Amino acid sequence: MDHYDMLESKSIYIIREAYYRFRNIAMLWSVGKDSTTLLWLIRKAFFGKIPFPIIHIDTSYKFPEMYQFRDRLSKEWGFELIVGRNEEKLAEGMGPGKGMKLECCTELKTNALKQVIKKYGFKAIFLGIRRDEHGIRAKERYFSPRDEQFQWDYENQPAEIWDQYKSFLYAEEHYRVHPILHFTELDIWQYIKREGLPIVDLYLSKEGKRYRSIGCVPCCSPIESSASTIDDIIEEVRTSKQSERAGRAQDKENIYTMQKLRALGYM
Amino acid sequence: MKKALIIGIDGVPYELLQGLIEKGCMEGLKKIIDSGYRLHRMHASLPDISSVSWTSFMTGANPAEHGIFGFTELALNTYELYFPNSRDIKAPLFWQSLREQKRIKRSIILNIPNTYPAFPVDGLLVSGFVAIDFDKAVYPGNYIPILKDMGYIIDVDLLKAREDRDGFYNDLIESMKIREGISKKLLGEEDWDIAVVCITETDRLHHFFFNEKDTPLFDSFYRKVDRFITSIYNTAIKRYGDDILFLVLSDHGFEKLKTEVNLNAYLQEAGILRIDKTREFYERIDTGTIAFAMDPGRIYINYENRYPRGCVKEDGAETVRKKIKEVLFNLRDGNGVSVISQIFEKEDIYKGNFMQQAPDLVCIPRRGYDLKGNLRKDNVFTRDIFQGMHTWDNAVLITPEDIKINKEINIEFPPGIIKDYFEKR
């Protein structure tokens, strides 16, 4: 078994265990490379037929390429797609240009997802987050006292790890399951290459620029890059010092600052 | 060679510490105190917020000199929300001044709030709350991998308190243990003349558990705080001998929280604040607003020449202030208990180059009534999961007993002790 078989089988084990425990489960798909990889792993775990719905949260500000990719793949891979939109806030004109970005993310992503979870009564959600993705998320958990235990649980009792990885995004009544937590950014690209997975072509360089992380148009900016194939990207990621989300909105720090202040009752 | 060790215990009130020492929960600290130290009651900064108070400690200056008035601020001449950080500190820090005078060389500064992003120091600085990106929280950068390897943690996951109280409590204990181990190692192996080590876990405990302050939960937590203080102290005296200057201090006190008081909801009811709900945050402040509040009890007058939708003329300000004070003093809860016990005008409490930025009024509430400045709440009185609130008049300072203090002091005082110690021959 090589490295990627190991990563894969770990993920598949978690996916199957989660499905066994929570039949009323769904997966959150951002259309980005990580959650598309997760989607592929889920497909593999159930021999090509995904037995639960896939949720896409549509802020209405995504790249057109992302919508096309979403619709194409859901048809090709034949899964049930739930599109979640916070229609009320969209009707009020909520958008990144309005106030702080956190408010926009909260309404159009978090609350839209909450609405979907409530409507369908999901008990657990699969998410494609990775431990190395962003310092704030990973690091704090990494330092968490239960992390040692987590390592052990990871192999033996996946049911208990899930509530260790509470993500700030979602209400408390459901579990979050993170089957690709142990993948690094480089692992993802190597795995995409090995499996021949489709990706949104925004990741590939056009006129000297490419997106390393994709989301809503106003909050993403491309990085300087000539990587126009997956192989080029692998080489770039291997040698890059810049953080993956460096192209995301500058006030990401403000968002986290506000979150921390609010957690203590300020703001 | 002179050495100073300062331990910060964020949010620990004078009475609580005294009580726990008497109760026998802090035997190590009691032994140190019995060897020649004394507890003093001390005022926090105004407002009594960690970032403001610790900056007053670091600079020995009042907010109008150092420029920090809260965790939040509005960008000049706008309603745009802004989060001040270490870059906004306008006064020199005591270790910088002492270094410049060549009284000291190396400092190790660990976890003081409002030191993010990390900035140059001869020695080592690791930022405290609100530090976001660890790579920007350490100076010099070559300590980043070292600290990561040691498992350093800036803060616990605060959001966990909402979902898993027991887990959160355990996290606090664990993070204090990690902090203790790393601080001991750094202070035991690196050279330093000044070392400041802060624990913020105390403040976190109080925010979420202060209603249990008389229970074994606190006793057991403070036994660990005691272990933290004594083991850092012992590391220092083992290395440099026991004639070092040793101080322990908190940046504000704490009290059980009865209710949150949303000042802006009240100001709105009183016709002093007008809100446009289609906008966000402080942009919600609408034409016709006379004044608004920011956390915790800062009141800003909506001056015509200062804010985009300002309407109060500078020359009528006296009357306006008087009216706002009257309105605020009239605020009562459902039982008729008045909420605000004191209101300071900015000229009474601040002095310095940054008066312009200062809130016009600062309110001190009755104990138990936690003043809030957000613009999202429609009700004046609300409750959330928080069990404790900051207090102004009962921070604590422990000094050697030969340091004579016979006046009221606030948190700008202790850096003077440190300066005197290094300056005297």
Side-chain angles (χ1 to χ4, degrees):
Chain A
M1 240 173 44
D2 75 0
H3 178 59
Y4 301 98
D5 294 331
M6 301 250 297
L7 294 178
E8 179 181 81
S9 62
K10 232 181 215 181
S11 301
I12 288 178
Y13 177 68
I14 294 169
I15 292 163
R16 288 182 179 156
E17 281 292 308
Y19 182 60
Y20 173 74
R21 267 184 63 113
F22 304 102
R23 284 305 160 99
N24 203 354
I25 196 166
M27 181 200 137
L28 184 64
W29 181 36
S30 74
V31 189
K33 63 184 192 315
D34 299 329
S35 61
T36 303
T37 300
L38 175 58
L39 190 58
W40 174 254
L41 285 161
I42 287 174
R43 216 167 156 245
K44 271 198 165 181
F46 302 106
F47 309 103
K49 177 80 193 131
I50 297 172
F52 44 77
I54 304 301
I55 305 166
H56 178 245
I57 296 301
D58 179 13
T59 61
S60 83
Y61 292 98
K62 304 286 177 194
F63 291 92
E65 291 89 335
M66 293 171 73
Y67 292 112
Q68 287 156 16
F69 184 84
R70 176 191 77 186
D71 297 340
R72 195 193 89 206
L73 210 64
S74 65
K75 225 172 272 165
E76 276 176 21
W77 287 5
F79 50 80
E80 184 193 341
L81 182 70
I82 297 175
V83 174
R85 285 162 62 100
N86 189 343
E87 296 292 358
E88 196 189 320
K89 288 287 162 183
L90 283 171
E92 284 174 19
M94 174 62 74
K98 208 179 158 187
M100 295 277 299
K101 292 207 166 64
L102 177 70
E103 216 64 9
C104 180
C105 284
T106 303
E107 291 301 344
L108 301 188
K109 290 184 186 170
T110 314
N111 289 344
L113 178 62
K114 276 187 187 163
Q115 289 165 8
V116 170
I117 289 172
K118 201 168 159 203
K119 182 172 169 195
Y120 293 87
F122 292 124
K123 290 283 172 272
I125 303 287
F126 285 112
L127 298 173
I129 69 162
R130 305 187 330 265
R131 200 185 278 156
D132 76 327
E133 186 178 354
H134 191 287
I136 193 75
R137 210 186 255 159
K139 227 175 279 168
E140 291 190 353
R141 298 306 193 288
Y142 181 78
F143 287 127
S144 146
R146 299 189 181 176
D147 197 62
E148 287 308 308
Q149 204 181 329
F150 164 77
Q151 294 289 345
W152 182 78
D153 279 340
Y154 204 80
E155 309 290 332
N156 300 295
Q157 294 178 315
E160 288 189 358
I161 67 168
W162 302 328
D163 58 343
Q164 296 300 311
Y165 269 79
K166 291 193 158 103
S167 165
F168 56 82
L169 284 174
Y170 317 109
E172 45 273 51
E173 325 80 54
H174 66 278
Y175 280 91
R176 278 79 50 163
V177 188
H178 304 142
I180 61 163
L181 203 59
H182 51 289
F183 278 66
T184 64
E185 188 186 7
L186 188 58
D187 287 336
I188 291 284
W189 285 115
Q190 303 264 31
Y191 187 73
I192 285 173
K193 184 189 167 194
R194 188 182 95 156
E195 303 289 305
L197 295 185
I199 50 158
V200 181
D201 57 11
L202 291 166
Y203 286 113
L204 303 172
S205 173
K206 250 172 263 140
E207 291 157 9
K209 284 181 193 294
R210 72 175 194 89
Y211 290 88
R212 197 165 164 194
S213 168
I214 56 175
C216 296
V217 178
C219 294
C220 285
S221 49
I223 56 165
E224 303 277 336
S225 166
S226 57
S228 57
T229 66
I230 307 258
D231 277 318
D232 294 345
I233 291 176
I234 289 170
E235 203 39 46
E236 185 188 277
V237 170
R238 201 201 300 280
T239 51
S240 168
K241 281 203 174 65
Q242 207 183 19
S243 99
E244 184 178 358
R245 289 187 166 222
R248 292 275 185 128
Q250 278 301 307
D251 59 357
K252 208 85 191 168
E253 281 216 354
N254 281 347
I255 293 173
Y256 286 118
T257 301
M258 172 150 7
Q259 209 157 61
K260 279 166 180 281
L261 292 177
R262 281 197 171 160
L264 285 178
Y266 303 108
M267 299 279 307
Chain B
M1 193 63 193
K2 291 177 179 178
K3 306 286 173 189
L5 170 67
I6 298 102
I7 297 183
I9 44 177
D10 200 297
V12 176
Y14 176 85
E15 302 80 5
L16 178 76
L17 190 66
Q18 199 181 36
L20 287 161
I21 293 170
E22 277 166 16
K23 216 169 157 185
C25 295
M26 308 202 68
E27 289 181 348
L29 182 60
K30 183 167 193 315
K31 246 167 100 180
I32 299 173
I33 290 172
D34 288 346
S35 77
Y37 290 84
R38 189 180 298 161
L39 250 74
H40 308 270
R41 179 190 283 272
M42 175 170 77
H43 278 87
S45 62
L46 284 166
D48 46 27
I49 288 286
S50 292
S51 63
V52 186
S53 226
W54 284 116
T55 306
S56 288
F57 165 69
M58 291 190 280
T59 57
N62 83 86
E65 289 171 275
H66 63 57
I68 305 292
F69 291 92
F71 280 126
T72 50
E73 190 77 70
L74 299 184
L76 193 65
N77 297 329
T78 69
Y79 297 112
E80 197 183 311
L81 192 58
Y82 170 75
F83 302 105
N85 60 31
S86 68
R87 292 194 197 103
D88 300 291
I89 303 176
K90 309 281 188 355
L93 314 182
F94 68 79
W95 63 84
Q96 292 172 338
S97 315
L98 287 166
R99 176 74 184 84
E100 212 150 277
Q101 297 165 31
K102 302 206 181 346
R103 305 272 183 191
I104 63 156
K105 217 172 128 40
R106 286 173 59 86
S107 303
I108 297 185
I109 310 293
L110 303 177
N111 200 37
I112 305 184
N114 205 36
T115 52
Y116 179 82
F119 45 86
V121 60
D122 185 354
L124 167 66
L125 184 142
V126 187
S127 310
F129 190 77
V130 185
I132 301 298
D133 180 350
F134 191 68
D135 291 344
K136 290 197 222 159
V138 181
Y139 184 93
N142 57 326
Y143 281 92
I144 295 169
I146 302 170
L147 288 163
K148 277 187 184 169
D149 277 355
M150 293 198 274
Y152 190 84
I153 174 171
I154 290 174
D155 204 352
V156 292
D157 177 4
L158 295 167
L159 288 139
K160 195 161 165 177
R162 227 167 245 286
E163 305 182 347
D164 177 5
R165 250 168 85 85
D166 295 348
F168 181 73
Y169 179 82
N170 291 336
D171 283 2
L172 289 174
I173 301 254
E174 191 63 24
S175 113
M176 206 151 60
K177 201 164 123 196
I178 295 169
R179 208 179 290 296
E180 180 186 325
I182 293 175
S183 307
K184 262 171 71 177
K185 202 170 154 61
L186 289 168
L187 267 54
E189 291 173 8
E190 305 279 335
D191 291 330
W192 51 271
D193 302 306
I194 288 179
V196 187
V197 184
C198 276
I199 42 174
T200 33
E201 286 77 6
T202 39
D203 176 86
R204 308 299 180 254
L205 176 82
H206 296 175
H207 272 288
F208 298 102
F209 294 89
F210 207 71
N211 55 331
E212 295 175 52
K213 76 176 168 70
D214 300 314
T215 69
L217 183 130
F218 258 60
D219 296 354
S220 124
F221 190 88
Y222 270 88
R223 285 205 171 85
K224 306 213 159 67
V225 174
D226 183 60
R227 197 186 65 190
F228 184 95
I229 296 171
T230 37
S231 84
I232 304 293
Y233 175 76
N234 288 334
T235 305
I237 61 166
K238 212 172 132 192
R239 181 109 190 264
Y240 291 128
D242 62 2
D243 58 348
I244 61 169
L245 172 67
F246 177 57
L247 303 176
V248 178
L249 78 154
S250 67
D251 59 329
H252 54 80
F254 247 95
E255 178 58 272
K256 249 185 264 183
L257 187 155
K258 285 199 196 96
T259 178
E260 279 128 21
V261 182
N262 300 301
L263 285 178
N264 284 324
Y266 175 66
L267 291 176
Q268 220 180 322
E269 279 175 16
I272 285 183
L273 170 64
R274 296 175 71 144
I275 296 279
D276 176 351
K277 282 198 171 173
T278 64
R279 292 193 291 261
E280 302 296 323
F281 299 96
Y282 290 87
E283 294 288 351
R284 288 185 157 195
I285 294 164
D286 208 4
T287 323
T289 293
I290 295 166
F292 58 91
M294 295 186 79
D295 285 330
R298 288 180 286 161
I299 307 291
Y300 292 84
I301 294 176
N302 194 29
Y303 286 117
E304 179 187 65
N305 57 359
R306 183 156 170 199
Y307 297 103
R309 290 180 288 280
C311 67
V312 178
K313 289 199 189 345
E314 200 87 53
D315 51 9
E318 266 320 302
T319 347
V320 171
R321 269 196 197 180
K322 226 167 121 187
K323 162 143 194 250
I324 298 167
K325 277 167 83 170
E326 207 180 287
V327 167
L328 287 165
F329 277 130
N330 275 337
L331 170 55
R332 285 168 200 283
D333 73 3
N335 302 319
V337 179
S338 73
V339 169
I340 309 283
S341 65
Q342 249 175 305
I343 301 176
F344 294 105
E345 300 200 11
K346 70 181 199 177
E347 293 78 9
D348 301 338
I349 48 173
Y350 301 131
K351 193 168 189 260
N353 291 331
F354 302 97
M355 283 300 275
Q356 180 72 24
Q357 249 176 275
D360 293 277
L361 304 170
V362 176
C363 306
I364 301 292
R366 177 185 294 272
R367 293 249 173 134
Y369 294 78
D370 196 11
L371 303 184
K372 295 287 168 198
N374 75 63
L375 287 159
R376 293 171 297 152
K377 301 277 169 73
D378 294 324
N379 295 323
V380 179
F381 299 97
T382 54
R383 261 325 296 263
D384 198 323
I385 56 164
F386 306 106
Q387 302 298 336
M389 58 169 279
H390 291 197
T391 50
W392 173 54
D393 58 359
N394 60 341
V396 64
L397 172 67
I398 301 177
T399 68
E401 61 187 358
D402 58 352
I403 289 171
K404 297 281 173 267
I405 301 172
N406 39 27
K407 54 170 185 179
E408 282 211 343
I409 55 165
N410 73 16
I411 192 145
E412 296 157 34
F413 182 80
I417 302 177
I418 303 165
K419 281 189 177 169
D420 288 349
Y421 168 79
F422 282 104
E423 282 167 7
K424 77 173 180 230
R425 318 206 101 241

